[in-house]
Amino acid sequence: MTEPRPAGAVHVRAPGKINLSLAVGPKGEDGYHPLATVFQAVTLYEEVLAVPDEVIRVSVTGRHADRVPTDSRNLAHRAATLLAEATGIDAGVHLQITKGVPTAGGMGGGSADAAAALLACDLLWGTGLAREELGHLAAELGADVPFALTGQTAVGLGRGDALTPALARGRFHWVLAIIEDGLTTPEVFRAWDQLNSGARLAPRISDALMQALVAGDPRRLAGHLRNDLQIAAIELQPRLRDVFKAFDDTSALRALVSGSGPTVAALAPDHAAALAIAAAVERADVADEVLVVSGPAHGARLVESVRDSE
């Protein structure tokens, strides 16, 4: 977004995420699976420019933009609508989304849009909600939306939306292998149910993983990365087998599917190694795109606000 901003516009940026650990419990009577997850926000962002308008509308450009709905199914659209209803605001907004996070890639791109839209509309409309109040609205929109607001590293319980900040020292460097044939979260959970019909254990977070984060040690962390949805994602997207094989032939410490996939995130020893790993995976030609990112990253935050000219 390098063009001049319209007067009154608000530009907010929100990050994508990687699930360092995702433990899944059996589906409850409410139809949801209890989760225990550790999120880490990474330096791959959704950009949302909120411009005053007569109605609430959305336009999308950027990575996989053609696959994103712009009507009321869009999470950013729903976020603006929810905020307006919750605060009694009778105003419109044009949400101009520039996507950087893969669509249906298990990295929470839609959730980042929603979090950015909540903050942008709150600032644009002057509703003045505290972050905690925005967090309550975020939880109504989806399990990953509250984390996109807070960013950094956090433990998520329940449906993933009951957040507790987690201490993570230093920087962690990741190589992302992106598959454009996305997977939807419901279909991956359905596949998990079929593979784990007798599951009874409650999900939990490894103490060793949390200690590795505090130590800022990628080699220790690698031994405790986990995703219970990974086998289901591979069953649905067999191309992932070649992706993991490509990472096995590099200095990557560990690779795992992020969230419900199909994006694969590989932890690197350092930034230089991440660049070398990315180059090797690109040469293997097993993914549609390969990126290097790091974490933790900030949650949704204001980039620019353009006041009306007097």
Side-chain angles (χ1 to χ4, degrees):
M1 294 184 181
T2 57
E3 298 180 359
R5 304 287 192 265
V10 175
H11 175 193
V12 171
R13 173 179 296 149
K17 57 79 182 173
I18 293 170
N19 295 81
L20 309 184
S21 180
L22 178 55
V24 180
K27 183 165 62 176
E29 294 181 0
D30 60 358
Y32 288 91
H33 298 78
L35 305 176
T37 188
V38 179
F39 298 107
Q40 183 164 97
V42 295
T43 54
L44 193 63
Y45 299 101
E46 300 286 274
E47 311 279 350
V48 174
L49 185 68
V51 180
D53 205 321
E54 294 182 358
V55 296
I56 295 174
R57 63 190 182 99
V58 171
S59 59
V60 184
T61 59
R63 183 175 278 117
H64 307 155
D66 59 327
R67 293 160 51 187
V68 180
T70 57
D71 56 16
S72 59
R73 294 172 295 166
N74 184 284
L75 269 177
H77 191 294
R78 289 170 53 195
T81 302
L82 178 62
L83 179 64
E85 292 173 348
T87 58
I89 292 291
D90 184 16
V93 63
H94 179 193
L95 296 170
Q96 301 174 19
I97 300 171
T98 303
K99 293 196 62 63
V101 179
T103 299
M107 293 192 66
S111 297
D113 291 337
L118 280 175
L119 180 57
C121 290
D122 175 64
L123 296 170
L124 180 70
W125 295 336
T127 52
L129 295 187
R131 277 284 178 138
E132 183 179 1
E133 294 173 295
L134 288 176
H136 291 315
L137 294 179
E140 294 185 37
L141 294 163
D144 291 347
V145 183
F147 176 71
L149 268 180
T150 62
Q152 301 295 338
T153 305
V155 173
L157 300 176
R159 297 179 186 176
D161 57 342
L163 295 177
T164 304
L167 179 60
R169 290 193 172 95
R171 304 292 299 170
F172 295 90
H173 301 276
W174 301 90
V175 179
L176 305 178
I178 297 170
I179 303 293
E180 290 188 355
D181 297 330
L183 296 173
T184 67
T185 300
E187 69 177 327
V188 177
F189 272 101
R190 283 195 295 270
W192 185 90
D193 286 335
Q194 293 173 355
L195 292 168
N196 298 273
S197 58
R200 294 290 181 270
L201 294 177
R204 61 180 296 275
I205 299 298
S206 163
D207 291 337
L209 182 145
M210 304 308 295
Q211 292 163 5
L213 285 170
V214 171
D217 186 338
R219 295 184 185 277
R220 283 177 61 183
L221 179 64
H224 304 288
L225 297 177
R226 166 184 178 179
N227 185 352
D228 286 357
L229 296 178
Q230 183 161 298
I231 294 176
I234 293 172
E235 288 289 323
L236 293 169
Q237 180 48 270
R239 286 181 63 189
L240 292 177
R241 294 187 177 92
D242 291 333
V243 175
F244 279 101
K245 175 64 169 62
F247 278 122
D248 285 343
D249 294 335
T250 70
S251 62
L253 301 174
R254 183 79 175 270
L256 80 167
V257 169
S258 179
S260 56
T263 301
V264 175
L267 182 59
D270 52 42
H271 180 63
L275 294 175
I277 292 164
V281 174
E282 284 182 335
R283 287 193 299 271
D285 196 25
V286 293
D288 297 305
E289 191 173 5
V290 182
L291 301 172
V292 174
V293 299
S294 64
H298 291 289
R301 64 191 315 187
L302 176 67
V303 176
E304 183 183 14
S305 180
V306 183
R307 295 185 179 181
D308 294 306
S309 56
E310 296 186 4

